[in-house]
Every structure is written in structure tokens, then in C-alpha cells.
Amino acid sequence: MQDIKASGGAVFKALESLDSGNNAGWVFPAVTGKTLYWVGGNGNWNDRAHWSSTSGGTGGYCVPGPLDDVYFNADSGFTSSGKTVTVNSSAYMHNITFSGSGTAPFLNSTTNPINIYGSSEWQTGMSVSAVYIYYRNNNAPKTVKSNGVPVNGSVFFEEETSVSLMDDLSVSSTITHSAGTLATLNHKVSMKNYSGDTGSKARVLKLGSSDVYITGPLNEGDFEAASSNMTLDAGTSHIHFTGVTGSPKLKAYSGQHYYNISFEKPGLEGTLEGSQTGSVYYNNVIFKGNGKLNGGNEIKELVLTGAKKYTLQAGKIQKITDKLYANGSSCYKLEMVSSVPGAKALLNVMAGATNFDFANIKDINSSGIPLHFGSKSSDLGNNDNISFSAYDPGVFSGFAGQNWSCTQFNNADPASYTLSSAGFFGNPTVKYEWTKLNDPAHTGIISTGESLDMRSYGLGTYHLKVVYSTAGPDESCTLEESVIVGSCIPSMINPGLPIRNY
């Protein structure tokens, strides 16, 4: 009972009931929770005939309340033709456990909420379809064990102490986290949308090393944590935005520290969106589609992939402390602009690469190390601390400027035996395939790294295939090029003669 005031002179007693707060004029006698067992197979939740005080016993006991533990087991009577527990009115319980049934059951609630005041455990192979599952507050830690069972519906975490995941959790709709600590304990979590920015109660999200997948389409595929009531402990987690439509957003709050973030669909526009005055911190951020960087962000490694447009909020600082990837490809150019034409966005690159190419840059005020864009890039104007080579529309060569015609491997000097792909201006999403031509001893792909140690393969002709994108025929780009690595030795006939190439 909640929010009910009793008056009139009588004594109001709520027997076998729970005081859920803000009630007046009521007496709630102490209640001891019961243990109830589902019997009789197929049926409705509020039908007493399906509840027994003993496993496999006679039904007719009582419908469970918030203090009662409920069990669905081998004696529940489920058959292939009668295995559905229909929640036909609001359901309440303390712990709920499905385990041991020979036929995996189906918990089905199309319109009514399931209110759990304790912990839950699903049976492997069962189905759970519930419009709303609430983990209600009773100031006691809770656990969630899924055993591989996805929840078709929305889940609400309201417990003010803690809820811990005992294994992977998959939710087809939104997870709303409005109070207490939600600890993923390094398990994988998948949901359409994470909502952690509503309500006035303190909450903590502890992600450990979890992979978190945000799968929602349109405006439902967001990770929402922009609240002063939210404390984020990201650990070494990775938040993946994998929705197939829409514009996924990570909505953060000042001072929060995230680890790895990836917007993984090339056809979508991802956004780092901070409703804050200070910075939000990230270890690694990858955009595989278009991207927006709003608010102030400090990112250790930022990966902007080719053939896309990246919009930086005017007047805000995007600080890159370790490395920036901002190259397009020989097929498509990357575009970096301010959110307000003519008003500069602020880019502060502190370390890492300084040379880029295949990009169009406009309205960017760069600071930190000076940046340079090569001859396949365009200065569209109003840029600071960025230099550009004269534009050259000619043929591109990734090995241009490298002369390997006179080569002697020196174990003390890696530059003498390492072929680099740096001239191809790749990024961590690019794939490399190194082969050696006309060498029967080394056939097929010999390496997929960004560089190649030639000591194991010797001199000869090396071929590199660079795949910049596999997003589709309209965006894919592949470049292939060969380089001859030859040797020069003194003449054995007359050592005084100049070095010759062989």
C-alpha cells in the first residue's frame, strides 16, 4: 500500500500487507514472508489454485505478495502444451526462481508490471516477455541471474542499495536505472537504451570490464547518464552503439570518466553529447559513421574514419591527449567542420600523429602540436595552427618517397627492415594484407599488421592491400600497391668500384 490516508475514527489494519510509504492512519502488523510454489501448469498469476505452500502440493494457498519467495520447478506441472504463466494483474514477490522444470516455461505479461522486491533467476531455455519488470527498493542487495534468457520488455532498477548481475543480461527495450548501485560484474549487457538520468536519488553504475551494447533504433538507441545524481565507474568497459537506424547518442555529465566507446554502424551519425560546463573523459572513441562532438571532451585516442563528416561544437574544446586519427582515403575524403559556419571549434591535440591526408577542414582552431594535411586535402578556410600542402589531384602512392632499392637489414635498426603503411594514412578500422610476389617459399597473406618485419621473408617484391572500408559498395575503398626491396653489395671483382644494385 502506498500514498493512502485513512480517517474517520475507525482502526485501519492492513493485514498481511506491506507499507510502501506515504500512508497515514494505518496499522501494518508485522508480516513474515512465505515460500510459495507454482503448481498445475498453465494458468493466471492471481489464480490461488496455482499456489501451494509445498512443492507439488495442493493449490489454493494464496497469491504471493512483496515478502514472499516464489518457485517454479519440476513439480510445477508444465507441459509442452501448457507452460505459460500469464501475469493477468500486477504481480508482486520477493525472490522469484525458475529452475528444474522438464519443460521450459513461459512467463508472459503483456500489460501488467512484475514487481520484484528481492532477486531473480530464470531457467535456461525459458521465455520471459514482460512489459515492465521492476526491481523495487526494500533496502536489501539483489542479484539477477539470467542463464542466457533474454527479457522481452523493459527493466527498472529502483533498489537503493545494490543490484548485481550474476551473468550476461539482455533486454529488448530500455533499462532504467533510477537508484542505488548497478554492478555488471564484468558481464555483457545488451539493451535498446540505457536511462540513468532520471529521478532525484543517487545512483552508481559500475561496469568493470563489461561490453555494453546499445541496440535501439531511431531515438531509442542512447546511453543516458547526464545527471548530477549519477556516479559512473567505467572500469575498462566498452560501450558499443549498434542500432541500425537513427542517431545514437552518449549523453554524459561533467567529470564522468568513460573507457572505450564505439559507434559501429557506418550509415549512422553518433554523438558525444555532454550537458555540462566541464569536460567528460574517454580512453578511446571510434566513429565508424558520421559524428558530432558536443560539449567539452578529453579523449586519449580519437578515431575518425574516412568518407564521413565530423562536426565539432563551436567554442568547445576537444582535447586529444595521445593520438588523433583524421584521415580519409584515396576514394573518399573526411570532412571536419564547426557546428556553426564561421565560428571556430577548438581542437587541442597534445601528442601522436601530426600528418594527415584526404580531408577537408573548415573553421577549426587547432592548438597543441601543429597539424599538417597532405596534398590530397583541402583547406576550406578559417583554420588555425593547421598547414596544408598544395593540392595535387594526381595519382596517389602510399609508398611514394620510400627508396628500398639499396637495402641492408640491420638488427639494431628497425627502420632498415620494417615496411610501414603510414603513407597510406590508415586508422584502427583499416585492414591490411601483406603478400610477397614471385616467392614460392612465402605464398598467401604473410601479415595483417600495420607494418611488416621483412627479416623472415628476405628481399624481393612486396605487395600491400589496404581495405579502408567494408561498409558497402558506395563507401568501400581498396588500394593495392607493390614495392621492390633490393640489395646493394660491393663488387666482388673490384672492391674499389661503386656499390651496385642487384
Side-chain angles (χ1 to χ4, degrees):
M1 187 181 296
Q2 183 176 0
D3 302 327
I4 303 298
K5 179 181 179 180
S7 60
V11 177
F12 293 86
K13 286 188 177 182
L15 304 177
E16 297 290 325
S17 300
L18 184 69
D19 182 358
S20 294
N22 197 34
N23 299 299
W26 290 88
V27 176
F28 290 87
V31 179
T32 300
K34 299 175 286 296
T35 299
L36 302 174
Y37 297 86
W38 182 269
V39 294
N42 219 56
N44 291 329
W45 182 275
N46 68 348
D47 185 350
R48 290 179 58 187
H50 285 283
W51 294 107
S52 173
S53 61
T54 59
S55 179
T58 302
Y61 191 50
C62 64
V63 176
L67 298 177
D68 302 327
D69 294 336
V70 297
Y71 290 89
F72 302 79
N73 59 21
D75 296 323
S76 291
F78 297 121
T79 65
S80 59
S81 59
K83 59 181 181 180
T84 301
V85 177
T86 300
V87 180
N88 62 324
S89 64
S90 296
Y92 298 87
M93 72 230 56
H94 183 241
N95 296 327
I96 180 170
T97 304
F98 285 80
S99 177
S101 174
T103 299
F106 176 26
L107 179 62
N108 185 33
S109 176
T110 57
T111 58
N112 298 298
I114 296 174
N115 301 280
I116 302 172
Y117 286 79
S119 301
S120 65
E121 179 177 352
W122 312 130
Q123 177 179 326
T124 300
M126 73 175 291
S127 298
V128 177
S129 182
V131 60
Y132 304 121
I133 294 180
Y134 289 89
Y135 289 85
R136 299 291 193 183
N137 177 55
N138 64 349
N139 293 306
K142 298 170 169 48
T143 61
V144 176
K145 189 171 185 179
S146 298
N147 286 316
V149 177
V151 172
N152 182 23
S154 296
V155 173
F156 296 78
F157 292 111
E158 299 179 347
E159 173 55 52
E160 295 179 25
T161 58
S162 67
V163 178
S164 299
L165 305 185
M166 307 311 292
D167 55 10
D168 296 348
L169 174 64
S170 178
V171 176
S172 70
S173 192
T174 297
I175 287 179
T176 299
H177 177 201
S178 58
T181 296
L182 175 58
T184 63
L185 300 185
N186 308 323
H187 298 298
K188 183 173 74 173
V189 184
S190 176
M191 71 204 91
K192 180 185 291 185
N193 187 83
Y194 171 78
S195 177
D197 59 353
T198 59
S200 59
K201 296 179 180 178
R203 69 212 69 140
V204 178
L205 180 61
K206 298 181 68 174
L207 293 177
S209 60
S210 291
D211 283 291
V212 178
Y213 294 87
I214 306 297
T215 64
L218 299 176
N219 296 321
E220 297 179 323
D222 297 337
F223 185 97
E224 302 170 318
S227 171
S228 60
N229 295 314
M230 164 65 74
T231 298
L232 177 72
D233 182 354
T236 57
S237 61
H238 188 163
I239 300 175
H240 308 254
F241 290 87
T242 62
V244 295
T245 61
S247 302
K249 299 177 179 64
L250 189 150
K251 300 180 180 181
Y253 194 78
S254 177
Q256 290 177 343
H257 287 252
Y258 292 82
Y259 202 68
N260 292 343
I261 308 295
S262 57
F263 296 93
E264 300 186 354
K265 296 299 181 180
L268 304 185
E269 180 179 74
T271 300
L272 295 184
E273 183 173 292
S275 56
Q276 76 277 341
T277 55
S279 293
V280 179
Y281 302 86
Y282 301 88
N283 179 65
N284 176 277
V285 177
I286 296 179
F287 289 91
K288 295 185 180 180
N290 296 333
K292 292 182 178 179
L293 289 91
N294 295 332
N297 299 293
E298 182 173 314
I299 306 170
K300 183 178 180 182
E301 185 174 86
L302 174 61
V303 182
L304 309 178
T305 56
K308 303 299 177 184
K309 181 177 181 179
Y310 298 98
T311 304
L312 283 55
Q313 185 176 356
K316 296 293 185 178
I317 297 178
Q318 310 303 321
K319 184 175 182 179
I320 314 303
T321 61
D322 193 69
K323 193 167 185 179
L324 170 67
Y325 294 88
N327 298 297
S329 70
S330 59
C331 304
Y332 303 97
K333 287 190 175 182
L334 176 149
E335 185 176 358
M336 185 190 300
V337 300
S338 170
S339 62
V340 180
K344 294 176 182 178
L346 309 178
L347 177 64
N348 179 216
V349 181
M350 302 300 296
T354 60
N355 294 310
F356 307 91
D357 212 346
F358 302 109
N360 296 333
I361 311 297
K362 181 176 174 59
D363 296 328
I364 302 298
N365 181 356
S366 177
S367 60
I369 58 177
L371 306 182
H372 177 77
F373 285 82
S375 61
K376 307 302 181 185
S377 298
S378 298
D379 179 1
L380 300 184
N382 198 30
N383 299 303
D384 293 331
N385 202 33
I386 303 175
S387 60
F388 293 81
S389 296
Y391 183 70
D392 179 5
V395 176
F396 171 75
S397 171
F399 287 125
Q402 300 188 47
N403 184 0
W404 290 92
S405 63
C406 185
T407 305
Q408 292 181 338
F409 296 161
N410 179 359
N411 290 335
D413 180 13
S416 72
Y417 56 77
T418 304
L419 270 178
S420 172
S421 66
F424 292 85
F425 298 100
N427 61 59
T429 70
V430 168
K431 296 180 180 179
Y432 303 93
E433 295 180 2
W434 297 87
T435 54
K436 194 158 185 270
L437 303 183
N438 305 315
D439 185 350
H442 302 99
T443 60
I445 298 172
I446 58 176
S447 176
T448 57
E450 293 182 13
S451 61
L452 177 69
D453 184 338
M454 296 182 286
R455 289 176 295 177
S456 299
Y457 308 104
L459 306 177
T461 302
Y462 288 89
H463 186 79
L464 176 60
K465 179 181 179 180
V466 183
V467 181
Y468 290 92
S469 173
T470 56
D474 295 333
E475 296 181 359
S476 62
C477 180
T478 300
L479 183 64
E480 299 191 46
E481 194 171 333
S482 298
V483 60
I484 298 175
V485 180
S487 173
C488 46
I489 60 175
S491 170
M492 301 307 294
I493 299 174
N494 187 342
L497 294 177
I499 292 175
R500 298 177 58 195
N501 292 335
Y502 290 88

